[in-house]
Amino acid sequence: MYWKSMTALALATRTAALLRFSCTQLTIDRVDPLVNPGLSPSPHLHQIIGGNSFNITMDPAKDMPAESACTTCQFVEDSSNYWTAVLFFRARNGTYKRVPIVPNVGFPGAEGGMTVYYMQNGLADYQQNSKVTAFKPGFRMIIGDPLTHTAADANRFRQVTYTCLQDPGTRFPETKNLPNKPCPSGIMANIRFPTCWDGKNLDTHNHMDHMAYPANGTFDSRGPCPESHPVPVPQLMYEVVWDTRQFNHPEDWPEDGSQPFDTEASE
Ligand SMILES: *[C@@H]1O[C@H](CO)[C@@H](O)[C@H](O)[C@H]1NC(C)=O
Ligand SMILES: *[C@@H]1O[C@H](CO)[C@@H](O)[C@H](O)[C@H]1NC(C)=O
Ligand SMILES: *[C@@H]1O[C@H](CO)[C@@H](O)[C@H](O)[C@H]1NC(C)=O
């Protein structure tokens, strides 16, 4: 993500807020201003949403999202950019096809895109009254690593999960791995970013070290932030819905039971 400002999120102690909004697709392109600034094409294909000042290079000193004239997000105040790598299906015969992204249930009319959440507590916690500090202009972070596919690596990002959609409204269970069998209504990726900030850096060389998960428990269980990253920030979460229906024929899936879908990082 590339943070500008979220005027709708007032973060005084007494404010209770859960923001949930839809952002339609800005573009799908081989660009990544965080990992590969200035490089076009970048190694990975991304779906990008948010402000229209998005570019292959985004100088953090310039607060570029502030230069956006419009945004694909429902809240015009939010000209941040958010992006995720796209998912591909590898058929048994070796062909690759990009999996279409579809709007989430409840947001008809949106083209692809994602649902974005900013939360002060877990999704099911109606109080939403924990004290969190707003992201500062120019803030950026990444979660996930497109180069690794082992369970240990996946566990570094403990709150990136998947839901096998039996119907568009399915919300549980969430699994750490992509579903190992076809899902009737597609797959939802639930991408929760870390919620503890070092309080100093808007970004770091790997775009991750300024952020950490709670020292124990989770954001949802109100686990405390570690001493190294003492400042709680809102839980940023994306939901991305992949329409896998055209790939649900068992005869197209790998015979060895391996995963036919491949996904990459979110930023
Ligand atoms: C986008 O980046 C390109 C290449 O760095 C640059 O030439 C162009 O002026 C930038 N566009 C905007 C609107 O900043
Ligand atoms: C490979 O399989 C896919 C899925 O069944 C099919 O759409 C495609 O035409 C096949 N490609 C080749 C070259 O056989
Ligand atoms: C988490 O850490 C806090 C503060 O150190 C402590 O009070 C709490 O008991 C811990 N919770 C768990 C589940 O370990």
Side-chain angles (χ1 to χ4, degrees), residues 77-126:
E77 293 88 349
D78 186 12
S79 51
S80 305
N81 287 112
Y82 313 86
W83 58 98
T84 60
V86 304
L87 201 61
F88 288 90
F89 177 76
R90 189 185 69 249
R92 191 179 289 184
N93 64 14
T95 60
Y96 274 84
K97 227 174 157 180
R98 185 162 70 75
V99 182
I101 301 166
V102 290
N104 207 344
V105 66
F107 294 113
E111 182 196 348
M114 309 183 208
T115 309
V116 177
Y117 292 76
Y118 286 90
M119 297 180 271
Q120 284 175 250
N121 290 110
L123 193 49
D125 185 335
Y126 294 108

Side-chain angles (χ1 to χ4, degrees), residues 215-229:
N216 64 31
T218 61
F219 181 80
D220 286 21
S221 69
R222 303 192 177 207
C225 282
E227 274 175 32
S228 59
H229 296 75

Side-chain angles (χ1 to χ4, degrees), residues 183-247:
C183 299
S185 282
I187 297 170
M188 187 160 84
N190 313 288
I191 300 161
R192 294 176 179 85
F193 283 77
T195 50
C196 299
W197 179 41
D198 70 7
K200 295 190 272 277
N201 296 296
L202 297 179
D203 197 2
T204 35
H205 69 287
N206 64 358
H207 314 294
M208 293 188 205
D209 285 352
H210 52 319
M211 297 298 293
Y213 291 106
N216 64 31
T218 61
F219 181 80
D220 286 21
S221 69
R222 303 192 177 207
C225 282
E227 274 175 32
S228 59
H229 296 75
V231 182
V233 295
Q235 170 80 81
L236 172 64
M237 177 170 112
Y238 309 157
E239 289 172 342
V240 190
V241 182
W242 304 97
D243 184 358
T244 58
R245 286 174 301 174
Q246 63 179 292
F247 310 111

Side-chain angles (χ1 to χ4, degrees), residues 57-77:
T57 300
M58 297 183 80
D59 180 353
K62 279 195 191 151
D63 190 13
M64 274 186 64
E67 292 167 17
S68 287
C70 57
T71 173
T72 68
C73 295
Q74 280 181 314
F75 291 153
V76 295
E77 293 88 349

